[in-house]
């Protein structure tokens, strides 16, 4: 899945707003509730900053999850500890490891509800 597909899904399903909150990271996109709180953060991060080998940029989305679910997901393919966020409450999903947004739909909904 691409970052654009994910962002479009969130805009259509949740009437979310997007913005680019970090001046020094112009490609980072916050996905926000209409009230302004974000429930997703899409980032392009060098692999070595995610604990992976290499320096190629990888698109990830950070989503808020319960700590118990977080510990389960962190050992599953396609997931990493939350980058740029609390590693207890946020998980990073590598967008290149998921074919369709539907594969993350439940986690997106959970993050949306957890951040209201």
């Amino acid at each position: 899945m691409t970052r654009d597909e994910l962002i479009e899904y969130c805009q259509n399903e949740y009437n979310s707003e997007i913005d680019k909150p970090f001046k020094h990271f112009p490609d980072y996109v916050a996905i926000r509730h209409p009230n302004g709180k974000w429930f997703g953060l899409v980032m392009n991060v060098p692999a070595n900053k995610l604990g992976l080998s290499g320096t190629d940029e990888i698109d990830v989305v950070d989503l808020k999850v319960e700590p118990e679910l977080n510990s389960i997901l962190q050992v599953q393919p396609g997931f990493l500890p939350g980058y740029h966020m609390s590693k207890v409450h946020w998980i990073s999903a590598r967008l290149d490891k998921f074919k369709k947004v539907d594969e993350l739909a439940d986690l997106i909904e959970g993050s949306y509800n957890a951040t209201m």
Side-chain angles (χ1 to χ4, degrees):
M1 122 183 56
T2 67
R3 64 189 297 135
D4 290 339
E5 291 169 336
L6 176 74
I7 291 165
E8 182 179 339
Y9 172 84
C10 292
Q11 288 176 309
N12 291 336
E13 289 293 314
Y14 299 100
N15 193 31
S16 62
E17 300 172 6
I18 62 164
D19 65 55
K20 297 180 177 185
F22 303 108
K23 181 178 178 180
H24 296 295
F25 298 100
D27 294 327
Y28 285 21
V29 175
I31 305 170
R32 298 181 184 273
H33 291 270
N35 69 12
K37 291 182 182 179
W38 72 32
F39 63 97
L41 182 62
V42 179
M43 300 169 282
N44 53 314
V45 182
N48 59 353
K49 292 198 175 207
L50 296 169
L52 305 171
S53 62
T55 56
D56 291 344
E57 289 188 346
I58 298 173
D59 283 335
V60 299
V61 61
D62 274 7
L63 300 168
K64 189 166 189 180
V65 295
E66 293 294 324
E68 298 81 19
L69 179 58
N70 192 334
S71 63
I72 293 167
L73 290 175
Q74 283 188 28
V75 297
Q76 301 298 315
F79 293 101
L80 301 163
Y83 179 75
H84 191 69
M85 307 286 253
S86 162
K87 292 175 182 11
V88 174
H89 296 283
W90 292 81
I91 191 87
S92 290
R94 289 184 56 175
L95 300 186
D96 63 335
K97 299 296 182 183
F98 298 91
K99 292 180 183 173
K100 299 189 318 187
V101 177
D102 292 348
E103 296 175 69
L104 293 176
D106 288 343
L107 291 176
I108 294 167
E109 180 178 7
S111 185
Y112 180 86
N113 291 333
T115 55
M116 291 182 100

